[in-house]
Amino acid sequence: MKLKLDYNNMMADFVGAQGISQADIDGLGNRIVAAHKALADKRGQMAWRDLPHNQDDIVEEILEYVAEVLPRIDTLVVLGIGGSALGPIALQAALHSPLYNFGNRPRLFVLDNIDPTTIKSVFAMLSLETTLFSVVSKSGATSETMAQFMIVKEMLETRLGKERAAKHIVCTTDTENGNLIKIAKVEGYKTFYVPNGVGGRFSQLCPVGLLPAAFCGLDIRALLAGAAEMDRAIEGNPHNMAYMFAILHYLTLKNGKNITVMMPYSDNLKYTADWFAQLWGESLGKRYDNNGNEVFVGQTPVRALGATDQHSQVQLYMQGPFDKVVVFLAVDEFACDIDIPKTFEDMPSIGFLGGNTLATLLNTQQKTTAYALQKAGRPNMSITLAKIDEHIMGQLFYMLEVATAFAGELLNIDAFDQPGVEEGKDATYALFNRPGYEAKKAELEAAPPKNPKYFL
Ligand code: PA5
């Protein structure tokens, strides 16, 4: 494994009373065995677990499509939200420079919101003749994505005519459910599928993540091979990194740590923390357990970035409430490095920096922040990537997905639904007069705030 989980600083031996003990972990013995068995038994319903192994044909199809389309496009715009956007963003950010769009083709824009200001400024940078729009929606019904799609479709058809416009749209959606697949068939759009049993936030390793990655020249076979390697390591052995990540979080949650902070010391991994925040938050934040009891369980994911947030949030992590666990992401070998010159040797208070490198400084800061947290009695763990490449990112994504599913088992909740998201979606449909939502509209209209309070 080119991924390492160091959890010394989670242990009471290192952080004192706020930490956990080997006896705590051992005490979960039967639960761990049961959760491992439950995941194995349910594997047939978790199609996302097999994505690393069963997509040879799909990979071929994606690569053929990319080779065919690439010569005529210079920009790919992904329209999607939540699980349909965060994975592609995380992968692109991990493996390319943040300035990728300035010097490389195709440029990649992921429009994961409906703020007209952003959308208009992206549109202003496009030539429609050389842009491909990738509409991604598992349900084929999400208001934000469908609204974007409707705008783009009309824009393309007005400019290019219906027939040519169809060559500038590719859809990734469910094989049969939802409107998008119906429209795609009628309009003749190229279509890729989110397999049954692959939910939005677990879809990074299917065409949702693979298609934009392939367009931007990433090695999607290596990504899947990394995930497959992680799967083999997990499947054969209940003492694995993914389970340990979940167990450590589960025990700290029981110990009042309601927040987990993911803090990469790498700009490339900044959006991996965003992706993880959705995975952990939406999967584990649940009102009911599997027996129907009200449990109101979950752990709030927070994103931070080292070293930047050392000068912002770290004060809170060091001395604020004992309600957090911090997960560092570190990288052993950066893609490049910069020497710090020995400029001020006569000024010891800054001269000491000279002769080192920026990567060494960043990695040292990760270690010293972990140490300082440990000294302050704050549980933290570090996931270290040997370097950032497709293979290791495949390992990391897959490990965190299985960890989330395993945490769901320990918490005895359904990690794969999101009923809490539905109320807001339904209210939007009602206020936009979607047929079938009349009762919801009446409910909303009947409930004006009794004593509205405003500051003007
Ligand atoms: O994880 C999830 O299921 C959600 O975050 C979805 O990805 C998000 O709501 C977008 O849904 P869809 O892909 O159906 O448009």
Side-chain angles (χ1 to χ4, degrees):
M1 253 348 117
K2 304 223 173 76
L3 213 56
K4 190 174 70 191
L5 172 67
D6 173 352
Y7 63 96
N8 278 334
N9 288 348
M10 294 296 292
M11 307 302 285
D13 291 349
F14 288 75
V15 288
Q18 297 296 323
I20 57 181
S21 65
Q22 190 56 46
D24 293 332
I25 298 176
D26 294 343
L28 285 179
N30 291 340
R31 301 276 303 278
I32 295 170
V33 174
H36 179 60
K37 183 171 178 319
L39 279 196
D41 291 348
K42 291 181 201 164
R43 189 161 174 142
Q45 299 147 42
M46 296 185 197
W48 57 272
R49 295 243 14 210
D50 295 327
L51 294 173
H53 308 289
N54 63 6
Q55 291 190 101
D56 287 353
D57 293 349
I58 289 157
V59 166
E60 277 305 312
E61 192 183 340
I62 287 174
L63 294 176
E64 270 170 31
Y65 176 67
V66 169
E68 177 205 321
V69 173
L70 208 46
R72 63 178 169 87
I73 68 151
D74 64 14
T75 306
L76 175 69
V77 181
V78 173
L79 312 178
I81 196 164
S84 295
L86 289 160
I89 295 171
L91 195 55
Q92 171 76 352
L95 292 153
H96 284 308
S97 145
L99 303 180
Y100 169 87
N101 274 354
F102 286 101
N104 295 283
R105 294 293 178 267
R107 298 176 297 179
L108 174 68
F109 296 104
V110 182
L111 295 182
D112 67 341
N113 204 353
I114 43 171
D115 186 326
T117 333
T118 311
I119 296 201
K120 223 170 188 154
S121 30
V122 171
F123 285 174
M125 287 191 281
L126 307 176
S127 158
L128 289 185
E129 282 77 6
T130 53
T131 299
L132 178 71
F133 292 90
S134 173
V135 191
V136 187
S137 177
K138 158 90 176 164
S139 63
T142 304
S143 299
E144 294 89 338
T145 308
M146 290 302 106
Q148 291 174 336
F149 165 57
M150 286 151 80
I151 293 164
V152 161
K153 180 175 187 296
E154 188 182 81
M155 193 168 72
L156 282 169
E157 289 180 358
T158 307
R159 184 76 58 83
L160 306 178
K162 209 168 163 52
E163 203 174 312
R164 277 182 67 208
K167 301 270 172 236
H168 291 258
I169 295 175
V170 53
C171 297
T172 303
T173 188
D174 192 82
T175 45
E176 50 195 35
N177 296 318
N179 291 318
L180 190 56
I181 184 62
K182 295 188 189 85
I183 298 167
K185 281 185 179 150
V186 170
E187 302 287 338
Y189 299 149
K190 174 70 185 170
T191 305
F192 292 95
Y193 296 103
V194 185
N196 289 333
V198 178
R201 54 193 177 275
F202 290 84
S203 66
Q204 163 74 321
L205 298 173
C206 82
V208 170
L210 300 181
L211 186 65
F215 263 106
C216 294
L218 300 180
D219 184 347
I220 57 176
R221 287 197 180 97
L223 179 78
L224 293 172
E229 190 180 355
M230 180 57 76
D231 185 31
R232 283 190 291 274
I234 289 168
E235 192 60 7
N237 177 11
H239 302 287
N240 63 63
M241 194 186 299
Y243 290 4
M244 186 52 84
F245 183 91
I247 290 164
L248 295 168
H249 275 89
Y250 174 76
L251 289 171
T252 48
L253 188 56
K254 295 276 157 208
N255 193 13
K257 311 285 177 285
N258 295 320
I259 298 171
T260 181
V261 179
M262 182 167 275
M263 187 167 184
Y265 272 71
S266 153
D267 286 351
N268 285 111
L269 298 177
K270 181 175 173 179
Y271 294 98
T272 297
D274 272 31
W275 169 83
F276 173 72
Q278 185 211 14
L279 184 69
W280 199 250
E282 199 168 329
S283 301
L284 303 182
K286 296 290 152 72
R287 177 172 177 174
Y288 297 105
D289 70 11
N290 290 328
N291 309 111
N293 303 311
E294 258 186 351
V295 287
F296 297 109
V297 77
Q299 197 171 37
T300 304
V302 168
R303 296 92 105 181
L305 180 68
T308 310
D309 279 308
Q310 280 183 222
H311 304 269
S312 162
Q313 300 184 46
V314 165
Q315 169 61 30
L316 171 70
Y317 304 164
M318 289 290 178
Q319 297 191 339
F322 287 94
D323 57 359
K324 296 171 201 68
V325 51
V326 178
V327 179
F328 294 107
L329 299 182
V331 181
D332 270 341
E333 195 188 315
F334 280 75
C336 65
D337 205 352
I338 298 177
D339 293 328
I340 307 171
K342 295 182 178 173
T343 313
F344 296 111
E345 282 186 299
D346 54 334
M347 295 174 74
S349 58
I350 55 168
F352 71 94
L353 292 167
N356 291 293
T357 71
L358 287 185
T360 317
L361 181 58
L362 194 54
N363 277 341
T364 303
Q365 290 192 301
Q366 187 271 317
K367 290 185 178 66
T368 51
T369 306
Y371 161 75
L373 282 170
Q374 176 245 312
K375 206 172 149 206
R378 311 288 166 149
N380 66 89
M381 62 182 109
S382 300
I383 299 174
T384 304
L385 288 68
K387 59 183 176 172
I388 300 179
D389 65 16
E390 288 89 336
H391 193 270
I392 296 178
M393 289 310 296
Q395 291 184 355
L396 180 63
F397 287 131
Y398 196 82
M399 189 277 284
L400 291 172
E401 287 178 355
V402 176
T404 304
F406 195 76
E409 288 300 327
L410 291 176
L411 292 167
N412 190 31
I413 50 100
D414 183 348
F416 303 101
D417 65 0
Q418 53 282 324
V421 177
E422 305 305 331
E423 181 68 28
K425 280 191 178 181
D426 290 351
T428 303
Y429 297 149
L431 291 181
F432 269 58
N433 297 315
R434 179 173 160 182
Y437 289 81
E438 294 77 10
K440 179 59 70 181
K441 185 162 187 194
E443 177 192 313
L444 283 159
E445 285 174 350
K450 297 213 169 35
N451 292 304
K453 293 181 177 57
Y454 299 112
F455 273 115
L456 294 174

